Amino acid sequence: MTAVSPSTVQDRIEALDAYWRAANYLGAAQLYLQDNVLLREPLQPAQVKRRPLGHWGTQPGLNLIYAHLNRLITDTRADVLLVVGPGHGAPAILANLWLEGTIRRGIRDFVKEFSWPGGSPSHLTAQTPGAIHEGGELGYSLAHAFGAVLDNPDLIAACVVGDGEAETGPLAASWRFNAFLNPRTSGAVLPILHLNGYKLSGPTLLGRMTDAQLHDYFSGMGFEAILAQATQLGAMHANAWEAFDRAYGRIRAIQEWYRMGEAPYGTIPRWPVVIVRSEKGATGPKAGTFHSHGLPLANPAVDLEELAVLERWLRSYEPQTLFDDDGNPSAAVRSLLPPQELRMGQSRYANGGKLIVPLDLPSDEHYREIAVPAGTTRESAMERLGGYLED
């Protein structure tokens, strides 16, 4: 852990847990509630969405990762771009964007408008602040993360890879992009394997590996595997804190070694990968099974038994301690937020216009070949275009 006094560590772990519970609450509320979003009164069927839509199972892990990246950014002032492979976990990311003030809507409208006509879609999209990756079609997140850091030496792309997503061909091949990353001129990718053991309808391959097998698997692909054990709620924040600090320290050590000219020519660094082993759908109904992947409660607006389960579930996060009567996050929750300019939803690397400048293009006049009639030249259009792009 970052060197701070024990009392401060405990205070910050409590703040991490408050933030995590707030994000979990907002994520679950987006799936189900259309009114009474702070539960200041008993929940009624008319306050629940008649046709809930979305995914719960990945959300607690995504919220844990976002919270600990916030803590890391606050302590290090690092520029972090978040790439989220499981784009179907949109309510979690939207919850964090709302908590950090990137999404500015009242809490009632924010919760109600998820998967609502004219509201927020059920997947991350290009319109999501801070996002460069959709995630509906799984497998491309890690490739996008590596592409984002090329020639951006100060950037860390934290890429969340779901263990179901890791079974796709494109993602399985993308791990080896680490061999092409130049630590001198490019930034770093921090892959974060979200290992909750289940995909849409069954167990995952990586989820059935032991810690030792995972270490060997990633070592063979050139990574240093760092495990963040998050299946036991009591110790998960301390474990995640230590894992993210260790990974960040490893990244900076590699960059310093290469940028100071101390690395032997031709060597390939062993970059870190953080493995967050968590429980699928933790804190919610049907946790620890693939049944929590989508909607663990099918229709609580009609089924009164499910309505009672939903209310107990939401109240277990103690929303009265996390939000005031106007829906503003508590001081403990806000204490975890990084400086405004470093918040992941406001990254200048993801939000169009902040880094974009007009291209300095040559005139196309010197690259034209007019052939009249057609077929009277042996010039290659591809060669002409290649010369234009090169210039």
Side-chain angles (χ1 to χ4, degrees):
M1 288 187 187
T2 303
V4 289
S5 68
S7 60
T8 304
V9 168
Q10 186 56 40
D11 290 344
R12 297 186 74 197
I13 283 180
E14 290 175 4
L16 279 162
D17 193 65
Y19 182 98
W20 181 64
R21 287 186 290 116
N24 285 342
Y25 179 83
L26 289 173
Q30 286 176 82
L31 296 178
Y32 289 106
L33 299 187
Q34 61 177 330
D35 205 351
N36 190 17
V37 300
L38 291 171
L39 286 187
R40 295 304 198 252
E41 59 185 65
L43 188 60
Q44 303 297 323
Q47 296 166 342
V48 178
K49 294 175 180 177
R50 300 286 295 184
R51 186 178 178 271
L53 182 67
H55 295 79
W56 166 250
T58 190
Q59 287 197 56
L62 290 179
N63 290 330
L64 180 72
I65 291 165
Y66 209 108
H68 281 270
L69 287 173
N70 275 343
R71 196 279 311 163
L72 183 70
I73 293 167
T74 299
D75 287 350
T76 64
R77 298 300 195 266
D79 251 325
V80 176
L81 170 67
L82 181 63
V83 180
V84 181
H88 57 276
I93 303 305
L94 294 174
N96 285 279
L97 293 173
W98 186 88
L99 288 171
E100 72 180 22
T102 298
I103 294 177
R104 298 184 179 182
R105 290 203 294 274
I107 191 169
R108 180 184 180 277
D109 290 342
F110 169 70
V111 167
K112 178 181 178 179
E113 289 174 4
F114 177 77
S115 281
W116 193 266
S120 304
S122 62
H123 282 59
L124 299 178
T125 71
Q127 286 75 39
T128 306
I132 65 168
H133 173 81
E134 194 268 348
E137 184 180 0
L138 297 176
Y140 304 98
S141 57
L142 199 53
H144 293 166
F146 276 104
V149 303
L150 297 178
D151 300 323
N152 281 317
D154 298 326
L155 179 63
I156 296 176
C159 181
V160 184
V161 177
D163 51 353
E165 176 188 18
E167 297 179 10
T168 64
L171 198 291
S174 296
W175 294 113
R176 292 301 294 133
F177 286 173
N178 58 4
F180 300 124
L181 202 60
N182 187 336
R184 293 186 176 90
T185 58
S186 295
V189 173
L190 175 59
I192 304 167
L193 176 64
H194 182 204
L195 197 71
N196 60 27
Y198 294 93
K199 49 184 180 283
L200 176 65
S201 59
T204 61
L205 297 175
L206 295 182
R208 290 303 179 267
M209 287 186 178
T210 65
D211 293 349
Q213 288 170 332
L214 287 166
H215 179 275
D216 291 345
Y217 178 75
F218 283 103
S219 179
M221 291 191 292
F223 286 97
E224 176 187 341
I226 300 172
L227 181 66
Q229 183 62 259
T231 54
Q232 300 299 320
L233 300 186
M236 73 175 177
H237 291 300
N239 293 341
W241 186 330
E242 183 176 1
F244 279 97
D245 268 6
R246 181 176 160 194
Y248 178 80
R250 176 66 177 162
I251 287 171
R252 292 310 190 210
I254 289 171
Q255 291 176 335
E256 181 178 359
W257 194 41
Y258 278 81
R259 293 173 188 181
M260 295 295 289
E262 297 175 359
Y265 179 78
T267 58
I268 298 176
R270 187 173 292 275
W271 295 99
V273 55
V274 172
I275 302 171
V276 178
R277 192 188 282 276
S278 68
E279 183 181 44
K280 183 86 168 183
T283 72
K286 302 175 184 176
T289 73
F290 68 85
H291 297 289
S292 68
H293 178 86
L295 293 167
L297 302 173
N299 197 354
V302 173
D303 187 323
L304 294 182
E305 289 186 7
E306 285 196 343
L307 180 70
V309 174
L310 174 62
E311 183 166 9
R312 287 195 300 273
W313 173 18
L314 292 172
R315 291 193 184 279
S316 71
Y317 300 116
E318 300 180 337
Q320 71 280 2
T321 69
L322 304 173
F323 309 96
D324 65 21
D325 289 339
D326 295 322
N328 301 307
S330 68
V333 172
R334 296 195 310 273
S335 71
L336 200 67
L337 299 177
Q340 194 86 27
E341 70 278 6
L342 292 177
R343 294 177 187 178
M344 288 182 284
Q346 299 173 39
S347 169
R348 60 197 176 101
Y349 294 94
N351 292 306
K354 292 189 175 182
L355 292 178
I356 295 174
V357 296
L359 292 174
D360 184 11
L361 298 175
S363 169
D364 64 1
E365 181 178 356
H366 303 295
Y367 308 89
R368 299 175 185 172
E369 176 70 19
I370 307 299
V372 180
T376 59
T377 179
R378 294 181 62 83
E379 287 287 338
S380 163
M382 185 62 71
E383 287 181 1
R384 290 296 181 103
L385 177 62
Y388 175 77
L389 293 177
E390 179 182 21
D391 293 344

